């Protein structure tokens, strides 16, 4: 009998704290975001249907559907509803607090204990506006709670560090089983070599008349489609950066570049040369009748519902036909922690120091395929938040990111690196990224920008 009054007292204390937050606790995060204009009512309804079907938190579903960013709820609740924002990596929890709450409870309520003061436990949650969840957690712990807000990504990293969960368990917070199954079904094929072999067998011809070579098969034939798809998917699965399709006098060669080194993947019959190049041109929306001049295009390929890969395509007329080179632009490979890029500790510490500075010039140099683009984009990704204005000028833009203003160079109309940089300085940027510094004008403006309060 003595327990009930304590629980009631804690409940009333909780209601008192919630009341002071503009009624935030009485309305779920989804409704708050909709009222504030962050999402539309239709998007909220879609997320609710998904929640009803598969379960989960509304904030997680909205983020998975790309309706909000990772830090939207965190920034919104901390700025507009007075929840204390907590970055767990900068404010590590106490051992006493971690021992008090089991991992199962943390996972159930997406919460992380921070520190204990008397009978009050400070706790960080992904969605602290869910009063019902907070009250249930309070009852289970038998403590008064001081609730803060933290990002889901930070909470999962804390689970890994303080509760020792593995990578698979950590990934389960960001994907549903259904999504994983679908992606496996689309991308996992047992043997791409046999697909290529089967397709190549159908290309054998009896006559090898030089006038007819290369025109035996059309770009719309099923074997060509199967072969091209196999080459592209194999490249993505193997983690290569470039695909080279090169015709020679007696054979057609496919080479992949991985970790900066080229290696041969397969030899193909010369009879499929024109059909294969035409198929790649169709996918890249290029002119298949023009074989005399270089062309540039882009292929977008979907792998499952939540992953797409872009290929930047370049064709070049050579002695024995058109050579095609494709740069693989896989956005998922950029969403990596900077710690996983393989830097030596000394270099990594220097990079972190540079990125934390409010102004200055950071130069990233290296040979082809050494990881310059991945390093730059991963660094920008780590800095990308709603309180920082980021502008980039590139030739061409390889990956597009939400929250970053990216500009393509068009030298023909005077839109050069130098011209873009001059315009950037009037756009009130915090961070500027220059794809290439090729001339004195660009270098001069970049250095001046770095000396006048910008991180370049």
């Amino acid at each position: 009998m003595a327990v009930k009054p304590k629980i009631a007292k804690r409940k009333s204390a909780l209601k008192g704290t919630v009341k002071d937050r503009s009624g935030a606790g009485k309305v779920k995060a989804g409704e708050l975001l909709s009222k504030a204009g962050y999402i539309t009512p239709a998007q909220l309804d879609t997320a609710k249907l998904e929640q009803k079907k598969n379960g989960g938190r509304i904030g997680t579903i909205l983020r998975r559907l790309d309706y909000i960013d990772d830090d939207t709820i965190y920034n919104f609740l901390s700025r507009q509803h007075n929840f204390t924002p907590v970055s767990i990596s900068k404010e590590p929890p106490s051992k006493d607090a971690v021992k008090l709450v089991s991992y199962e409870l943390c996972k159930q309520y997406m919460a992380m204990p921070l520190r204990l003061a008397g009978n009050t436990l400070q706790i960080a949650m992904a969605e602290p506006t869910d009063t019902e969840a907070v009250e249930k957690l309070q009852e289970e712990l038998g403590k008064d709670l001081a609730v803060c807000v933290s990002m889901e990504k930070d909470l999962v990293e804390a689970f890994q560090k303080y509760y020792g969960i593995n990578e698979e368990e950590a990934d389960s917070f960001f994907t549903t089983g259904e999504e994983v199954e679908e992606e496996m079904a689309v991308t996992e094929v047992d043997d791409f070599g046999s697909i290529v072999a089967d397709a190549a067998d159908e290309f054998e011809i009896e006559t090898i008349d030089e006038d007819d070579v290369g025109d035996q098969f059309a770009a719309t034939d099923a074997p060509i489609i199967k072969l091209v798809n196999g080459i592209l998917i194999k490249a993505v699965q193997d983690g290569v950066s470039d695909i080279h399709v090169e015709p020679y006098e007696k054979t057609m060669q496919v080479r992949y570049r991985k970790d900066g080194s080229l290696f041969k993947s397969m030899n193909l019959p010369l009879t499929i040369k024109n059909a294969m190049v035409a198929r790649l041109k169709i996918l890249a929306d290029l002119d298949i009748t023009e074989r005399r001049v270089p062309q540039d295009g882009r292929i977008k390929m979907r792998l499952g519902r939540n992953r797409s890969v872009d290929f930047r395509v370049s064709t070049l007329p050579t002695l024995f036909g058109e050579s095609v080179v494709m740069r693989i632009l896989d956005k998922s490979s950029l969403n990596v922690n900077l710690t996983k890029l393989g830097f030596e500790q000394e270099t990594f510490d220097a990079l972190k120091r540079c990125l934390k500075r409010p102004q200055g010039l950071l130069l990233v140099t290296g040979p082809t395929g050494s990881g310059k683009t991945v390093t730059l984009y991963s660094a920008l990704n780590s800095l990308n938040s709603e309180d920082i204005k980021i502008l980039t000028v590139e030739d061409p833009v390889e990956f597009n990111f939400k929250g970053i203003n990216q500009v393509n160079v068009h030298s023909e109309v005077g839109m050069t690196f130098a011209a873009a940089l001059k315009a950037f300085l009037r756009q009130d940027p915090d961070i500027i990224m220059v794809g290439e510094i090729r001339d004195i004008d660009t270098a001069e403006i970049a250095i001046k920008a770095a000396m006048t309060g910008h991180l370049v």
Side-chain angles (χ1 to χ4, degrees):
M1 294 298 290
V3 178
K4 286 182 181 175
K6 282 186 179 181
I7 293 170
K9 187 179 176 185
R10 282 196 296 275
K11 279 189 179 180
S12 62
L14 173 70
K15 284 175 183 171
T17 59
V18 164
K19 202 189 294 178
D20 297 331
R21 293 180 179 133
S22 314
K26 298 170 188 173
V27 186
K28 297 289 176 70
E31 279 82 2
L32 287 170
L33 291 170
S34 179
K35 284 181 179 178
Y38 280 80
I39 57 172
T40 65
Q43 288 174 331
L44 179 58
D45 291 340
T46 304
K48 283 181 175 177
L49 281 172
E50 181 77 17
Q51 185 183 39
K52 196 174 180 182
K53 183 181 171 186
N54 297 319
R57 283 168 295 280
I58 200 76
T60 306
I61 295 165
L62 287 167
R63 182 191 51 74
R64 195 184 297 136
L65 291 170
D66 276 340
Y67 294 157
I68 60 172
D69 296 326
D70 290 346
D71 59 355
T72 299
I73 292 179
Y74 173 79
N75 288 329
F76 175 67
L77 294 181
S78 62
R79 288 175 185 172
Q80 297 190 31
H81 292 284
N82 305 321
F83 280 95
T84 306
V86 173
S87 177
I88 301 172
S89 57
K90 295 175 184 174
E91 300 179 43
S94 67
K95 289 181 181 177
D96 294 340
V98 174
K99 283 179 186 174
L100 191 65
V101 188
S102 68
Y103 168 65
E104 286 69 29
L105 271 181
C106 289
K107 181 181 179 180
Q108 184 182 344
Y109 294 103
M110 203 60 195
M112 183 70 197
L114 298 174
R115 47 199 60 82
L116 189 62
N119 197 47
T120 302
L121 176 67
Q122 187 186 33
I123 198 157
M125 295 181 74
E127 291 182 30
T129 52
D130 190 348
T131 314
E132 190 181 338
V134 177
E135 286 180 359
K136 283 182 181 175
L137 181 59
Q138 193 165 248
E139 283 181 31
E140 295 209 36
L141 294 174
K143 300 279 182 188
D144 291 329
L145 296 182
V147 187
C148 307
V149 64
S150 190
M151 284 195 286
E152 191 172 6
K153 185 177 59 149
D154 286 351
L155 291 168
V156 174
E157 285 175 4
F159 295 162
Q160 285 181 285
K161 186 172 182 180
Y162 298 101
Y163 290 102
I165 67 170
N166 58 31
E167 284 286 337
E168 191 179 342
E169 174 75 2
D171 289 341
S172 70
F173 285 94
F174 305 108
T175 56
T176 63
E178 194 179 80
E179 286 169 5
V180 172
E181 279 173 24
E182 183 185 351
E183 187 148 323
M184 293 272 282
V186 174
T187 60
E188 291 246 338
V189 178
D190 292 335
D191 187 0
F192 277 106
S194 65
I195 290 178
V196 173
D198 290 346
D201 287 344
E202 295 184 44
F203 299 146
E204 293 299 329
I205 57 171
E206 292 172 10
T207 60
I208 312 179
D209 191 359
E210 260 189 48
D211 293 336
D212 296 335
V213 167
D215 294 321
Q216 299 295 323
F217 296 91
T220 52
D221 285 353
I224 291 286
I225 294 171
K226 189 194 276 189
L227 178 59
V228 169
N229 289 350
I231 289 170
L232 297 181
I233 295 172
K234 185 176 190 296
V236 174
Q237 285 193 320
D238 290 354
V240 305
S241 61
D242 299 85
I243 307 169
H244 295 246
V245 180
E246 303 157 320
Y248 293 102
E249 188 175 6
K250 293 182 180 177
T251 185
M252 190 171 195
Q253 180 174 279
V254 177
R255 292 195 288 175
Y256 291 152
R257 185 183 295 279
K258 186 173 183 179
D259 298 331
S261 301
L262 267 176
F263 64 92
K264 188 188 287 187
S265 176
M266 61 191 84
N267 282 321
L268 300 172
L270 203 59
T271 50
I272 68 166
K273 175 180 68 177
N274 289 346
M276 187 164 171
V277 171
R279 176 63 187 163
L280 290 168
K281 282 182 166 184
I282 289 168
L283 291 173
D285 201 21
L286 301 176
D287 182 358
I288 62 170
T289 61
E290 182 55 80
R291 301 178 183 177
R292 299 163 300 174
V293 295
Q295 295 185 65
D296 293 307
R298 207 175 180 102
I299 296 172
K300 195 175 189 76
M301 186 171 75
R302 269 212 173 279
L303 298 173
R305 188 172 54 183
N306 297 301
R307 186 185 178 197
S308 66
V309 179
D310 284 10
F311 298 81
R312 196 179 71 209
V313 182
S314 172
T315 70
L316 179 72
T318 64
L319 189 61
F320 298 106
E322 285 181 286
S323 169
V324 182
V325 175
M326 288 166 281
R327 165 64 58 90
I328 298 174
L329 309 173
D330 185 1
K331 195 172 176 181
S332 64
S333 69
L334 293 176
N335 297 327
V336 292
N337 193 317
L338 281 168
T339 56
K340 296 178 183 176
L341 288 180
F343 288 114
E344 291 180 1
Q345 192 59 46
E346 189 180 342
T347 310
F348 182 61
D349 290 341
L351 177 62
K352 280 199 297 186
R353 280 198 306 274
C354 290
L355 294 176
K356 282 179 182 173
R357 290 184 178 176
Q359 64 178 48
L361 182 67
L362 169 64
L363 290 174
V364 179
T365 61
T368 302
S370 61
K372 299 186 295 294
T373 303
V374 172
T375 302
L376 279 170
Y377 276 127
S378 297
L380 286 179
N381 230 12
S382 68
L383 297 167
N384 187 14
S385 62
E386 66 177 45
D387 56 345
I388 292 177
K389 171 91 167 182
I390 302 176
L391 291 167
T392 76
V393 54
E394 304 164 64
D395 184 20
V397 172
E398 293 190 359
F399 298 92
N400 60 303
F401 286 94
K402 192 177 179 182
I404 298 178
N405 296 277
Q406 296 168 279
V407 175
N408 258 323
V409 167
H410 292 292
S411 302
E412 317 83 56
V413 294
M415 187 57 169
T416 60
F417 282 103
L421 273 176
K422 281 179 185 173
F424 280 5
L425 297 178
R426 296 190 289 275
Q427 290 279 315
D428 186 29
D430 295 299
I431 297 171
I432 296 171
M433 196 270 271
V434 187
E436 295 167 23
I437 296 179
R438 297 175 176 172
D439 52 55
I440 292 173
D441 287 345
T442 308
E444 189 179 340
I445 300 165
I447 291 169
K448 281 181 180 175
M451 293 169 68
T452 54
H454 306 93
L455 180 62
V456 181

